[in-house]
Amino acid sequence: MNQKLLFVPAAGLALLLAVSQSPAQSTDTTTTTTKPAKKPAAATTPRETNAKPLTAKQLKAKEDALKKELLTPYKKWMDEDVLYIISDEERKAFKQFNTDEEREQFVEQFWLRRDPTPDTEENEFKEEHYRRIAYANEHYASGIPGWRTDRGRTYIQYGPPDEIEAHSSGGTYERPMSEGGGETETFPFEQWRYRYIDGIGQNIIIEFVDPSMSGEYRMTMDPSEKDALLHVPNAGLTLYEEQGLSSKDDRFSRTDGTHLGVPDQYMNQSMNEFNRMSQFFKLQEPPTVKFKDLEAEITSRITYNRLPMQIRYDYVRVTETSVLVNITLQFENHDLQFAEKNGYDEAIINVFGRVTSMTRRPITTFEPTLTRPIPPEMLQAYKDQKQIYQQSVPLPPGRYHLNIVAKDVVSGNTNVFEVALDVPHFSEDRLSSSSLILADQIEKLPTSSIGGTMFAIGDTKVRPRVGETFNLKNPEDQKMGVYVQFYNFAMAPDDKTHKPDGNIEYTINKVGSTQSLFDVTEDLSTIQYASANQVTVQKLLPLKTLGPGVYTIKVKATDKRANQTVQQEQKFIVN
């Protein structure tokens, strides 16, 4: 006879024994005459009508139930996407909603309240916010995603600083007199300066220190935290200590939250304890919201004739619950009708794009006009070129509709395009990747252009080659740009560098052939922007050795620690 062992928590053992020993559905007449157990006296007392406060146990159960209910993309949106910019009042209101429909409406209104130009279709605040998250992930990741770090948070809330003083390797440091003067050795640190931050003030200096030497910079209120010789007797003395005006021991008896080697009578006003604390905590607060009235919904229907148009869309992770969808349109100039205007020939393309949910609920729209006046003598050469436009749309993982209507204003020709967007979910516990983007341009953007340029991913301009066709007669086509991001490499438990362990393999094959024409493997340690959270690959591969034909490029990432691989591949044409 098989026996099954049942393991029961000790707290419920007595109840289980009582239930197992009581006869269930017994037909014995002796049991039917057994008197029922006497009910507790409390059961016969009148029910109280006054509400009682919830016990600590009940409050905990209610809180757990609320957390379970909110474990949805909307909860992750609140705790990740807008963690640094949502106000306490908005967070409290969000927790009161009972349905996803109410939460979805809240999200829409949340962005509308922050839209600086509500009379336009674009929400510049939202687009800039997600661009900043993408930049933080690429530049400030360590053992955690870049958006979770102190530098990432500051960048997301306040944008790029006006000045950065970086000491990425630490080393010898001449203190300013506000910190006591003298020479010392420091841990890696950075000082960010903002000329003005609304609600905080002017000339805001924020210091980030990496005392663990692991790449994890944290914001500090104590300027002496970067001093690597702080706990070394008679080393790294300030000028005041060298001149006998104070002792290094005095640093450890200060009550202002610092270990500065500056006597109180010489303390600079900028180092005032209350000024530093006030700035530190104000920097943690979400920025002020300027509430906006909601704009009326605008819809349009357009009938069409045929206008040739090429479209591609790529997915790049921002957070676990947000993906940047880059929608790229391309028109051949020889398909457009030009008209003379003010001594120039000009073609005008009006574009209307809309992303909706599967129930056709509008998510976002964009309406660019593409035009460029051309001198008549250059028209023939210009007709061999292209018009290209890109719109970046941040979306939660899920399925959407994309509708695009384009119209050549001069000829009246139009084109309507519709496709389903399957925005992927990038799981945090598995190696994954963005789209593989084959580009005709990959270049670093100057600081002044970041955020205001099409084709920007972080601080890099990545212009996709729509149609993936490269013409070797054009000098700029002799190299093909390759851009892809890989996410979620495993970390060793005792590794403080947060560096991934693996490699990237690049392979090019001609379609119909098994022979590799290009096969290169690159160790992750050689890649500039490589952390366990995100590895960014951006390469220019030579095409001049390839003959005309159709090829396949494969980019494969291997995580040696987790024994996982992920591969992206794409076809391209060489003419």
Side-chain angles (χ1 to χ4, degrees):
M1 178 177 181
N2 295 330
Q3 293 182 339
K4 295 183 179 179
L5 298 181
L6 177 65
F7 293 91
V8 182
L13 182 58
L15 177 61
L16 178 62
L17 290 174
V19 173
S20 63
Q21 291 172 2
S22 63
Q25 298 180 350
S26 175
T27 58
D28 191 338
T29 57
T30 61
T31 61
T32 60
T33 60
T34 301
K35 293 182 180 181
K38 187 177 181 180
K39 295 182 179 180
T44 61
T45 57
R47 181 179 179 183
E48 295 186 12
T49 58
N50 293 333
K52 288 184 177 180
L54 294 177
T55 66
K57 186 176 181 180
Q58 290 171 324
L59 284 171
K60 182 66 167 58
K62 186 175 181 180
E63 183 180 342
D64 290 343
L66 178 62
K67 287 182 179 179
K68 184 176 181 180
E69 179 185 349
L70 291 180
L71 283 179
T72 64
Y74 297 104
K75 174 66 162 56
K76 286 185 174 292
W77 173 84
M78 182 176 66
D79 288 346
E80 296 183 10
D81 292 31
V82 298
L83 175 63
Y84 304 139
I85 63 174
I86 189 170
S87 68
D88 292 339
E89 293 78 8
E90 289 173 318
R91 188 184 299 276
K92 183 178 179 180
F94 183 84
K95 291 181 177 180
Q96 306 302 315
F97 298 136
N98 297 317
T99 66
D100 282 350
E101 183 178 0
E102 291 175 322
R103 297 182 185 108
E104 188 172 351
Q105 291 176 355
F106 174 90
V107 172
E108 283 193 6
Q109 294 174 11
F110 176 91
W111 293 119
L112 283 171
R113 286 194 293 270
R114 290 160 171 80
D115 189 354
T117 55
D119 55 340
T120 65
E121 296 293 344
E122 293 81 10
N123 188 327
E124 294 85 355
F125 180 95
K126 180 180 179 182
E127 293 173 4
E128 171 64 9
H129 177 71
Y130 281 102
R131 183 204 65 78
R132 292 179 182 181
I133 293 177
Y135 184 92
N137 284 341
E138 187 165 308
H139 288 79
Y140 305 132
S142 53
I144 57 177
W147 69 270
R148 288 186 181 274
T149 65
D150 283 0
R151 288 186 299 170
R153 173 180 186 147
T154 304
Y155 187 91
I156 291 168
Q157 284 186 279
Y158 304 110
D162 296 298
E163 296 177 14
I164 295 180
E165 181 183 335
H167 301 259
S168 57
S169 300
T172 303
Y173 175 65
E174 286 286 342
R175 299 188 191 91
M177 286 306 298
S178 60
E179 297 178 16
E183 184 178 286
T184 188
E185 298 290 320
T186 69
F187 299 113
F189 74 97
E190 290 185 2
Q191 286 184 346
W192 291 14
R193 176 178 173 267
Y194 290 89
R195 293 190 182 93
Y196 177 77
I197 296 179
D198 190 23
I200 300 179
Q202 297 179 341
N203 196 36
I204 303 301
I205 297 176
I206 309 169
E207 192 161 270
F208 304 92
V209 182
D210 177 19
S212 63
M213 307 286 285
S214 63
E216 181 69 37
Y217 289 75
R218 66 180 185 223
M219 187 190 301
T220 180
M221 288 191 295
D222 181 5
S224 62
E225 186 172 349
K226 60 180 174 290
D227 192 341
L229 302 180
L230 177 64
H231 298 281
V232 180
N234 299 317
L237 299 180
T238 66
L239 290 179
Y240 298 101
E241 293 165 345
E242 291 175 356
Q243 296 171 8
L245 298 175
S246 66
S247 168
K248 190 171 185 179
D249 293 339
D250 296 339
R251 300 195 200 182
F252 304 96
S253 59
R254 300 186 68 91
T255 60
D256 62 356
T258 75
H259 294 95
L260 289 170
V262 183
D264 289 340
Q265 62 268 31
Y266 298 109
M267 183 68 72
N268 190 301
Q269 184 63 25
S270 65
M271 293 296 173
N272 179 276
E273 173 184 4
F274 299 102
N275 291 341
R276 287 185 292 103
M277 290 181 62
S278 175
Q279 174 179 302
F280 185 86
F281 289 108
K282 282 182 178 179
L283 288 169
Q284 316 299 315
E285 297 174 355
T288 304
V289 180
K290 297 180 180 179
F291 292 92
K292 305 286 186 182
D293 293 333
L294 297 181
E295 295 294 311
E297 180 182 358
I298 300 176
T299 60
S300 64
R301 295 179 179 272
I302 304 178
T303 57
Y304 64 95
N305 294 317
R306 187 67 178 171
L307 170 67
M309 173 176 65
Q310 290 180 293
I311 298 177
R312 66 170 289 144
Y313 36 91
D314 300 292
Y315 305 111
V316 179
R317 186 189 73 171
V318 180
T319 69
E320 186 185 357
T321 59
S322 295
V323 177
L324 199 64
V325 183
N326 289 331
I327 304 165
T328 309
L329 317 180
Q330 180 173 287
F331 303 89
E332 301 283 348
N333 285 342
H334 58 72
D335 294 325
L336 305 177
Q337 185 72 43
F338 288 77
E340 192 274 333
K341 183 179 180 180
N342 298 327
Y344 290 89
D345 289 312
E346 186 176 38
I348 303 173
I349 309 169
N350 286 341
V351 176
F352 177 85
R354 179 169 58 191
V355 178
T356 61
S357 66
M358 293 304 292
T359 58
R360 298 297 179 175
R361 187 167 177 271
I363 304 296
T364 189
T365 59
F366 50 94
E367 292 184 279
T369 296
L370 311 183
T371 181
R372 182 182 173 188
I374 301 298
E377 64 273 14
M378 298 178 59
L379 180 60
Q380 193 58 44
Y382 184 71
K383 284 191 174 183
D384 294 332
Q385 300 177 17
K386 304 174 178 63
Q387 292 264 27
I388 186 168
Y389 170 83
Q390 186 179 87
Q391 178 72 32
S392 296
V393 180
L395 293 173
R399 191 174 176 85
Y400 303 85
H401 285 290
L402 169 63
N403 295 86
I404 295 178
V405 179
K407 180 178 181 180
D408 182 338
V409 174
V410 177
S411 68
N413 292 335
T414 59
N415 192 350
V416 173
F417 175 87
E418 180 174 2
V419 72
L421 295 177
D422 289 307
V423 180
H425 172 73
F426 295 100
S427 175
E428 289 186 341
D429 58 0
R430 183 157 189 82
L431 188 64
S432 56
S433 75
S434 70
S435 300
L436 172 60
I437 303 175
L438 303 185
D440 53 26
Q441 284 186 17
I442 295 182
E443 58 188 31
K444 287 295 179 184
L445 291 170
T447 304
S448 59
S449 299
I450 295 176
T453 304
M454 282 195 299
F455 317 114
I457 303 178
D459 66 346
T460 304
K461 179 180 180 180
V462 184
R463 192 175 77 176
R465 173 53 62 94
V466 182
E468 294 82 36
T469 299
F470 295 83
N471 189 343
L472 295 182
K473 290 184 178 180
N474 299 326
E476 64 271 17
D477 280 5
Q478 293 181 5
K479 289 187 177 181
M480 177 176 67
V482 177
Y483 186 96
V484 61
Q485 294 179 357
F486 294 100
Y487 315 113
N488 308 321
F489 285 84
M491 287 190 298
D494 57 347
D495 184 10
K496 292 185 178 181
T497 65
H498 310 302
K499 293 294 185 181
D501 183 12
N503 56 58
I504 307 292
E505 182 180 356
Y506 311 86
T507 307
I508 295 178
N509 296 85
K510 193 169 186 177
V511 172
S513 172
T514 58
Q515 182 181 2
S516 295
L517 303 176
F518 184 90
D519 194 345
V520 174
T521 300
E522 181 179 28
D523 193 270
L524 293 180
S525 62
T526 65
I527 297 178
Q528 181 178 5
Y529 296 119
S531 69
N533 183 253
Q534 178 174 312
V535 173
T536 300
V537 172
Q538 44 191 42
K539 299 290 182 184
L540 291 174
L541 301 183
L543 298 179
K544 58 184 179 180
T545 58
L546 303 179
V550 181
Y551 297 85
T552 300
I553 179 171
K554 299 178 182 179
V555 183
K556 178 181 178 181
T558 300
D559 184 347
K560 293 182 179 179
R561 290 196 182 109
N563 193 27
Q564 293 181 0
T565 63
V566 64
Q567 177 175 285
Q568 287 282 7
E569 65 177 84
Q570 195 165 325
K571 290 183 179 180
F572 65 96
I573 301 171
V574 176
N575 286 335

